[in-house]
Amino acid sequence: MDRIPVVIVGAGPTGLTAALELSRLGVSVRLVDRAPRPSTESRALAVQARTLELLRVRGVGDSMLALGNKTGAATLYADGRTLGPIELHRMPSRFNFILMLAQSESERLLTEQLARQGVKVERGVEVTAVAESVDRAGVDVTLHSDGGTEEVVSASYVIAADGPHSTLRRALGVDFPGRTLPQRYVLADLHVDGELADDQVSIFLARRGFVATFPMGQGRFRLMATDPAGIVSGAGEPTVEQMQRLFARTVHIPVRLHTLNWSSRFRINSRHVRSLRSGRVFFGGDAAHVHSPAGGQGMNLGIQDMVNLAWKLAMVLDGRARPELLDTYDSERLPVIRRLIWFTEIGTRVFNSTNRFVHAARIRLAPRMLGRDRVQNAAASMFGQLSAGYRDRALAQGAGGIGPLRPGDRVADAGGLYDALDLGGLTLFAGEGAEPIVEVARGWDGVVSVRPWAGEPLREPGCWMLVRPDGYLAAAGGPGDAASLERWLERWFLRR
């Protein structure tokens, strides 16, 4: 049978991003999802700064910005008083806020861009089996459609983006270790009449649990809360009346809740795979990691998984990179995932506790901590996923640096730098006096594109930096580093 380069299973934000990136890079894909139609539920809300930086230059970010609601702070309250804000405007990005946009809208925008690139989501198609091809050069995937037809598709690679109950993960026997946290939560998307801030996330802490509100614009909010007293009783989904009672016992602001769009109960699973790769199958998004929704990180993590993987996969498939480059997907993303899961668990424990001593400590310490610039700057960068990087990983070894910037660090999108990126390969930004480096780059046509640059951080004569398609530094140095750049390129890439 004809072999498809990549089959992507799951058409949520992760799978859609994978298809978007690969098809843009000229890789033929099939994107399948067992759901017969797109979800209309809001689910994940937060679109973080790093995600917006990456999606803007890929044709989606501006549409998200036009539809979403910007929040400039996450403010803590307790016992009727303000403890302090986390000042999101400190994010070192032009997108120094959290954008609130329903997941259904994010998926719609990604799907529309994907259609413009000539790819359609195949819905009502479920994976029933997956196995290594006989020639060991691919993966055979059995697809079963709602109409009853079945086909076996051979793919060079498969991306499993099929959610927390991943069929592919189970079929391949990949463990999903972790734990289920004991607390029970409720959430609802509804309208609020009252003086609830619509330009910030508000978190109300109390001995008897917490309530967090996320403004979605035009009077619509997401409410998330713990319910240790069991106010939301019964087997059905939470009602407006139950959410009103839960809100009133924790929050000091009088409001009226109405027009419920969607509600649910849930418990938090905190899990991740031990490896993001099983042979020729790569895992991303909820199929690879699930965690507390604290900080609105999950959807962004999956999107960024795929931006990391796609350019590497495309370059290997078209013979520009060595297969070993694909191993760096796991070695780079898994530490980011572990760190984020650890952070969200810590935050969840602090917010969830009903212990009176913990609550007293929260009230006493929060204002002190939030009054420190160092804490504010670190928190803002973490929320925006701007501090995540790949320094000291395999791909960053032997690649120099420039000033405080090291390989694996995020390169700031300053002065239109991201607009100058070659999103299908490496981009060399060279200042005056870097001719020996430019000469090396010319020998790697199709792998490296050369761009003159006079702005930050190339202020010193002869300085240069090589930037990856995902906006991270690949290598950097001065005019005397031509030989080391050549060795680094030889390690990971192939001349045409």
Side-chain angles (χ1 to χ4, degrees):
M1 67 184 80
D2 291 337
R3 182 161 285 158
I4 299 168
V6 181
V7 168
I8 302 165
V9 184
T14 300
L16 289 167
T17 301
L20 187 77
E21 274 291 85
L22 289 168
S23 62
R24 183 183 59 77
L25 295 170
V27 178
S28 296
V29 302
R30 283 187 69 176
L31 173 58
V32 302
D33 193 290
R34 65 182 177 184
R37 61 189 62 85
S39 172
T40 59
E41 296 174 346
S42 56
R43 297 197 178 271
L45 279 184
V47 185
Q48 302 292 356
R50 186 58 180 152
T51 299
L52 289 168
E53 288 183 345
L54 295 171
L55 292 185
R56 182 188 67 82
V57 291
R58 290 163 170 85
V60 182
D62 287 339
S63 300
M64 288 180 161
L65 287 165
L67 288 176
N69 186 49
K70 298 177 183 178
T71 57
T75 302
L76 303 180
Y77 300 89
D79 301 337
R81 64 187 180 92
T82 303
L83 301 182
I86 298 172
E87 299 170 351
L88 302 177
H89 64 80
R90 292 173 178 258
M91 291 182 187
S93 169
R94 72 169 78 177
F95 307 114
N96 56 347
F97 48 81
I98 296 177
L99 186 74
M100 296 298 170
L101 182 66
Q103 181 176 326
S104 55
E105 288 294 285
S106 294
E107 290 180 4
R108 179 180 64 80
L109 295 173
L110 289 165
T111 301
E112 289 174 356
Q113 179 62 30
L114 195 56
R116 288 190 284 270
Q117 294 175 192
V119 179
K120 183 179 179 180
V121 181
E122 299 177 45
R123 295 203 170 273
V125 178
E126 184 175 6
V127 174
T128 57
V130 59
E132 185 179 48
S133 300
V134 174
D135 63 2
R136 297 186 177 181
V139 182
D140 293 337
V141 183
T142 303
L143 303 176
H144 183 86
S145 71
D146 282 351
T149 60
E150 189 170 272
E151 64 173 320
V152 178
V153 176
S154 181
S156 297
Y157 296 96
V158 173
I159 294 175
D162 51 342
H165 306 293
S166 171
T167 299
L168 282 167
R169 195 184 63 234
R170 292 178 177 179
L172 293 168
V174 174
D175 290 339
F176 202 36
R179 62 198 185 96
T180 300
L181 303 184
Q183 294 85 5
R184 298 182 183 274
Y185 299 82
V186 295
L187 62 80
D189 284 356
L190 37 67
H191 284 70
V192 177
D193 292 339
E195 298 300 319
L196 194 59
D198 61 1
D199 60 352
Q200 67 173 33
V201 176
S202 300
I203 303 168
F204 301 91
L205 305 173
R207 272 286 316 278
R208 48 189 177 271
F210 81 90
V211 170
T213 66
F214 306 86
M216 301 169 69
Q218 300 180 329
R220 187 179 172 200
F221 285 77
R222 159 77 56 82
L223 267 60
M224 175 182 166
T226 50
D227 183 23
I231 288 175
V232 181
S233 57
E237 303 299 352
T239 66
V240 171
E241 292 75 17
Q242 289 172 328
M243 296 303 296
Q244 182 78 61
R245 290 171 56 204
L246 190 60
F247 187 93
R249 75 192 300 267
T250 306
V251 182
H252 62 283
I253 302 171
V255 301
R256 183 177 74 90
L257 310 182
H258 64 97
T259 317
L260 180 69
N261 298 87
W262 176 66
S263 67
S264 74
R265 311 162 185 261
F266 67 98
R267 294 179 71 181
I268 292 173
N269 282 291
S270 195
R271 305 177 183 277
H272 66 79
V273 294
R274 292 189 174 93
S275 173
L276 297 174
R277 183 178 186 181
S278 177
R280 288 177 170 263
V281 178
F282 297 92
F283 297 91
D286 288 351
H289 44 77
V290 293
H291 52 82
S292 166
Q297 304 290 303
M299 180 180 71
N300 300 272
L301 197 63
I303 288 172
Q304 292 171 44
D305 288 344
M306 294 302 101
V307 176
N308 180 290
L309 174 63
W311 69 270
K312 299 171 181 177
L313 197 52
M315 293 187 80
V316 169
L317 282 165
D318 69 8
R320 290 182 293 155
R322 301 180 187 278
E324 292 84 359
L325 184 64
L326 297 178
D327 294 332
T328 67
Y329 169 60
D330 177 84
S331 65
E332 289 186 341
R333 292 303 293 169
L334 201 53
V336 173
I337 291 163
R338 289 191 186 114
R339 181 169 177 257
L340 189 142
I341 289 177
W342 174 84
F343 168 79
T344 57
E345 278 203 22
I346 294 294
T348 300
R349 287 175 189 163
V350 170
F351 287 161
N352 281 350
S353 179
T354 57
N355 182 287
R356 64 189 180 94
F357 297 108
V358 173
H359 182 61
R362 288 185 303 212
I363 294 174
R364 186 175 67 255
L365 293 176
R368 297 180 188 176
M369 297 298 291
L370 294 176
R372 298 176 180 174
D373 285 342
R374 186 165 60 89
V375 171
Q376 286 283 358
N377 293 335
S381 290
M382 184 282 304
F383 269 102
Q385 296 196 358
L386 299 166
S387 55
Y390 313 125
R391 189 185 283 202
D392 300 326
R393 304 300 164 195
L395 197 54
Q397 299 302 309
I402 180 169
L405 203 60
R406 292 291 177 269
D409 290 353
R410 163 186 165 268
V411 178
D413 182 15
L417 187 140
Y418 278 31
D419 294 289
L421 281 177
D422 178 352
L423 298 179
L426 303 172
T427 307
L428 177 70
F429 293 97
E432 290 186 12
E435 287 79 9
I437 304 301
V438 173
E439 186 65 26
V440 169
R442 300 292 187 202
W444 288 87
D445 184 48
V447 172
V448 181
S449 298
V450 178
R451 304 280 192 270
W453 193 257
E456 292 289 350
L458 304 184
R459 293 297 186 189
E460 298 297 324
C463 286
W464 57 273
M465 60 182 177
L466 192 66
V467 183
R468 301 163 25 157
D470 55 5
Y472 289 90
L473 188 67
D481 295 321
S484 60
L485 174 61
E486 186 78 59
R487 286 193 298 271
W488 183 85
L489 288 166
E490 288 279 5
R491 168 70 181 85
W492 298 104
F493 299 95
L494 294 166
R495 297 180 193 272
R496 290 204 163 175

